[in-house]
């Protein structure tokens, strides 16, 4: 088990065999409120097809070109994606504390930071990254669109930590008609959850932003500003963004997603998958030892998070967020965020039938057989446990 006293964060760029670039930080203008139909359709095509993303850039620096090695040998490089969210703390800790790089040994670790799942899936399908921390719905969508050949879920990372936060004057679902809400990205896990919940309340939404309630996919930082400026009525967000809107922008919680999961599908009431770890299937087939090493570092990160003191966790995560996203969080924000999240290697496989159905209802994926989406064999070898795949793959 990892030592919780390792609280002094390391700069991932200072670690042997580790580099970091940030994806999506271009000078392109932000999408305005009110999506156009053509844009939405184009985004869906990218989500589904994994359109060519030859590189992710930061100031014009291309992502490293995939190194090849004979099948079965450790990879020369592992390119790993994650987000600058508290729900991605296992990645933040694993990278900043060196757990993943240490387990990879001679395999070089490079990382890319994304804002939301569909963009990470595009990079994974294009070969710009080999594995990524991500929400479950983009992973499901990629698996479905590829006929089961693109990715495998190899572990869970975080459960919980997503809420619909709204203006104080909104007191019930009935007050949302005609309002404008945000989600991190069309087809992302929070986007699907928002659309599914609105449908359960009798509202119709469309991927072009029209409907009884307008949904505007927006980068999290921009969502905060738009809410403060009075241009958004609320948003379904992962942590720390839900807490930031509540504590710094005066929002209130209308729906805590944990209240929508009674445990009948997973055996764990209140828990739902927010962050998982997935890998490109070809990369995993070519480099199984590298994938197992990645999982060893991941398991150490989750163990650390579940054993460290609250202050140690806040310090390490905050330093890693500053490196990954450019800013630290206020103490009350990170404290509230951590209270809403469970860190676990269990991907809660029993929930994936509902997650698929929600994506189909939202119009962001198609009905399909997702048997085979999980490959938890390496995880169970690393932990010595029996994390279940719920009949949807190997365990």
């Amino acid at each position: 088990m990892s030592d919780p006293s390792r609280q002094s964060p390391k700069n991932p760029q200072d670690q042997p065999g580790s580099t970091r670039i940030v994806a999506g930080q271009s000078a392109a203008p932000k999408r305005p409120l009110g999506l156009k139909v053509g844009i939405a359709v184009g985004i869906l095509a990218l989500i589904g097809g994994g359109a060519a993303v030859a590189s992710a850039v930061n100031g014009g620096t291309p992502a490293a070109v995939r190194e090849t090695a004979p099948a079965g040998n450790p990879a020369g490089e592992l390119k790993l994606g994650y987000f600058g969210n508290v729900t991605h703390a296992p990645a933040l800790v694993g990278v900043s504390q060196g757990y993943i790089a240490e387990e990879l040994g001679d395999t070089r670790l490079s990382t890319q930071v994304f804002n939301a799942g569909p963009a990470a899936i595009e990079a994974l399908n294009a070969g710009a990254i080999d594995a990524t921390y991500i929400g479950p719905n983009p992973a499901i969508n990629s698996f479905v669109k590829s006929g089961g050949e693109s990715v495998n879920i190899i572990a869970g990372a975080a459960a919980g930590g997503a809420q619909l936060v709204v203006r104080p004057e909104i007191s019930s679902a009935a007050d949302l008609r005609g309002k404008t809400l945000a989600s991190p990205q069309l087809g992302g896990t929070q986007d699907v959850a928002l659309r599914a919940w609105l449908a359960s309340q009798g509202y119709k939404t469309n991927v072009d932003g029209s409907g009884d309630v307008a949904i505007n996919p927006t980068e999290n930082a921009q969502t905060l500003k738009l809410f403060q400026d009075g241009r958004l009525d609320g948003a379904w967000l992962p942590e720390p963004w839900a807490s930031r809107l509540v504590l710094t922008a005066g929002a209130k919680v209308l729906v805590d997603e944990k209240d929508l999961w009674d445990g009948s599908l997973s055996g764990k009431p209140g828990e739902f998958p927010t962050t998982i770890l997935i890998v490109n299937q070809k990369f995993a087939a070519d480099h199984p030892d590298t994938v197992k090493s990645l999982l060893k570092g991941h398991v150490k990160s989750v163990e650390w998070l579940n054993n460290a003191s609250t202050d140690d966790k806040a310090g390490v995560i905050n330093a890693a967020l500053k490196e990954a996203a450019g800013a630290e969080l206020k103490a009350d924000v990170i404290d509230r965020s951590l209270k809403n999240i469970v860190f676990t290697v269990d991907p809660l496989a029993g929930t994936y039938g509902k997650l698929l159905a929600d994506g189909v209802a939202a119009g962001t994926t198609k009905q399909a057989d997702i048997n085979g989406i999980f490959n938890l064999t390496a995880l169970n070898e690393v932990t010595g446990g029996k994390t279940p795949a719920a009949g949807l793959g190997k365990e």
Side-chain angles (χ1 to χ4, degrees):
M1 183 172 293
S2 307
D3 181 4
S5 67
R6 294 185 60 186
Q7 58 182 298
S8 178
K10 306 172 186 176
N11 186 328
Q13 297 188 28
D14 294 337
Q15 297 174 34
S18 178
T19 58
R20 184 181 75 88
I21 59 178
V22 179
Q25 291 189 349
S26 68
K30 297 290 188 298
R31 187 185 310 119
L33 286 171
L35 292 174
K36 302 297 184 182
V37 176
I39 295 175
V41 172
I43 292 173
L44 282 174
L46 288 174
I47 295 169
V53 180
S55 65
V57 297
N58 177 28
T61 303
V65 177
R66 178 185 297 276
E67 294 184 21
T68 59
N73 289 347
E77 179 181 27
L78 172 71
K79 297 185 284 295
L80 179 67
Y82 61 98
F83 308 168
N85 292 340
V86 180
T87 51
H88 285 238
L92 295 167
V93 170
V95 172
S96 69
Q97 295 296 89
Y99 294 140
I100 295 174
E102 289 168 6
E103 291 295 339
L104 288 173
D106 292 335
T107 297
R108 183 175 183 81
L109 174 66
S110 61
T111 62
Q112 294 182 34
V113 181
F114 296 89
N115 177 67
I121 285 291
E122 293 168 23
L124 189 71
N125 288 343
I129 56 175
D130 306 306
T132 190
Y133 290 81
I134 198 168
N137 282 97
I140 291 171
N141 198 45
S142 177
F143 187 84
V144 168
K145 290 293 185 180
S146 69
E149 296 182 356
S150 59
V151 302
N152 276 136
I153 299 168
I154 58 173
Q163 297 174 331
L164 172 59
V165 295
V166 297
R167 299 201 168 281
E169 61 268 22
I170 297 174
S171 59
S172 69
D175 297 331
L176 292 175
R177 185 175 297 275
K179 298 295 192 292
T180 300
L181 305 177
S183 67
Q185 190 169 359
L186 180 64
T189 298
Q190 284 77 50
D191 182 72
V192 171
L194 172 57
R195 294 173 190 277
W197 181 78
L198 287 171
S200 76
Q201 302 302 307
Y203 290 121
K204 179 177 176 56
T205 62
N206 300 309
V207 296
D208 65 357
S210 65
D212 300 324
V213 180
I215 299 178
N216 187 69
T218 308
E219 290 184 8
N220 293 323
Q222 187 72 0
T223 292
L224 174 60
K225 185 176 187 306
L226 290 171
F227 186 86
Q228 291 172 322
D229 291 344
R231 298 175 62 193
L232 282 173
D233 299 298
W236 199 294
L237 296 170
E239 293 293 4
W241 296 100
S243 289
R244 290 193 71 181
L245 263 69
V246 168
L247 296 173
T248 67
K252 74 174 187 180
V253 177
L254 185 64
V255 180
D256 191 330
E257 191 174 347
K258 70 179 182 182
D259 296 333
L260 306 181
W261 297 88
D262 62 7
S264 60
L265 300 176
S266 66
K268 298 179 179 180
E271 292 189 22
F272 58 96
T274 307
T275 308
I276 56 176
L277 180 57
I278 66 173
V279 66
N280 176 282
Q281 286 187 20
K282 185 178 186 307
F283 181 88
D286 289 346
H287 308 294
D289 290 344
T290 301
V291 172
K292 186 177 288 187
S293 295
L294 168 62
L295 282 167
K296 288 179 180 178
H298 171 63
V299 169
K300 283 185 176 180
S301 299
V302 172
E303 288 178 346
W304 187 89
L305 284 162
N306 287 327
N307 287 282
S309 70
T310 300
D311 288 345
D312 287 353
K313 279 189 286 191
V316 170
I317 292 171
N318 236 347
L321 283 171
K322 185 175 182 179
E323 174 64 26
E328 294 184 344
L329 298 171
K330 293 181 179 179
D332 58 347
V333 171
I334 196 164
D335 181 62
R336 183 184 185 277
S337 298
L338 288 171
K339 288 178 179 177
N340 289 329
I341 303 169
V342 174
F343 297 110
T344 175
V345 298
D346 184 354
L348 305 173
T351 64
Y352 280 70
K354 182 180 186 308
L355 292 169
L356 171 64
D358 288 348
V360 172
T364 58
T365 194
K366 296 179 180 179
Q367 184 60 49
D369 182 1
I370 58 171
N371 183 33
I373 194 170
F374 290 97
N375 189 339
L376 304 178
T377 54
L379 174 67
N380 286 327
E381 288 174 10
V382 169
T383 63
K386 191 67 173 178
T387 301
L392 295 176
K394 300 177 182 178
E395 57 185 51

